[in-house]
Amino acid sequence: LEYNAPFSGERAADRVFGQHDDFGTNECNNRGVSGASLCMPGGIAVDNAGHLYVTDMLNNRVLEYGSPERSTITHRVLGQDGNLTTAFCNDGEIGAKSMCKPGAVTLDAKGHLYVADTGNDTIRQVVIGTAAVTTLAGQAGGSSGSADGTATAAAFYQPVGITNDGNNLFVVDSRKCTKRKNVLDTGAVTTSLA
């Protein structure tokens, strides 16, 4: 939902994302999976250019809205190999362009989007300019867990929250009830608070 004056006395939303601008439904993927549909949106972030990024958990993707002030239809999809009309976990196979139930997103000042890829137990890095996706930490298709380590030697178990301070990522690892720290320069993952 978009509120043009969220802190005024006005309570009604001005626009709705994910329902083809239809305020009368809350159906998941109303009218089918498309660039105008959402199914269990979760994380949200806005970059310096005003692009809006939304995790679409049950469609196994992250949507980028290039002009959210003008359109509720996405212009780019991450996690479904660029296909706006599919919604499969890992789009048939685990790979760099696939995601499974992404739960949260955060952005850094260098043009990277970081995704807590909950269903794959990984942290993904997306270069916004090219949409190149890499696994920054965790083991997609590997073993879930809480092992500290560097990059893909570390293990996560359903990371659901993510933020950063410019130098480090902080991840909430839900199934292990821990907060993890990922140092961006070195790739080292440590459990910073249980």
Side-chain angles (χ1 to χ4, degrees), residues 1-5 12-17 23 68-72:
L1 298 174
E2 177 185 327
Y3 296 88
N4 291 333
D14 295 289
R15 290 191 311 160
V16 62
F17 285 72
F23 281 91
E69 71 283 354
R70 291 191 299 271
S71 176
T72 60

Side-chain angles (χ1 to χ4, degrees), residues 108-127:
D108 70 12
K110 298 176 184 175
H112 300 118
L113 175 75
Y114 300 96
V115 181
D117 193 357
T118 306
N120 281 325
D121 303 317
T122 60
I123 304 303
R124 302 294 183 106
Q125 178 184 37
V126 181
V127 178

